[in-house]
Amino acid sequence: MEKHIMGENGISYTLGEDGLYYPDLYLPEETEYPIGKYGMLRKTYLQEHRKGLYLELVLAGKLNKHLHQIDEECNQMMDRLVEQMKEKQGVTEQLKVENQMLWVGMCNNIQHSAEEAVLKEIVYA
């Protein structure tokens, strides 16, 4: 019973039960990439604060790739920042041997500081 027609604009239409023709629109196929913590945070941010960009990425089939890319960049930035901060603050294996509690506290502080910097720079940019 479905009737298909091709419009002048090159879009095909299907006749609905209500007698109206509806365009046959499909989102482009998107490659599945693994998305981690930072990719999910970026997705939430886009949905809540940048709805236009979010819809643009969805409609272009580029959202998953974008989120994966952000996640990769954030993880790389975290690794770099943590190592740089450890070096700058003198957090070494020698300190770990001499004063383990101080070493753990400093590592936790560095991890939190680096994460805050990453979130400000990339996820919410």
Side-chain angles (χ1 to χ4, degrees), residues 2-78:
E2 288 185 11
K3 184 176 178 185
H4 296 282
I5 62 168
M6 184 61 75
E8 293 176 13
N9 56 6
I11 298 174
S12 64
Y13 294 83
T14 302
L15 181 62
E17 292 180 10
D18 56 3
L20 298 175
Y21 283 96
Y22 294 94
D24 298 324
L25 302 175
Y26 303 97
L27 291 174
E29 289 289 323
E30 196 170 351
T31 306
E32 287 296 319
Y33 293 100
I35 299 171
K37 172 184 176 179
Y38 299 110
M40 295 306 293
L41 287 170
R42 176 69 172 175
K43 181 179 180 182
T44 301
Y45 173 77
L46 291 174
Q47 287 174 323
E48 294 176 1
H49 303 286
R50 303 282 308 273
K51 292 178 176 117
L53 177 58
Y54 176 77
L55 288 175
E56 181 182 322
L57 291 168
V58 168
L59 294 174
K62 296 179 180 178
L63 178 64
N64 197 266
K65 183 177 181 179
H66 172 76
L67 297 176
H68 175 73
Q69 193 172 11
I70 291 292
D71 193 64
E72 289 290 311
E73 289 174 14
C74 286
N75 282 312
Q76 291 170 5
M77 188 176 188
M78 273 294 292

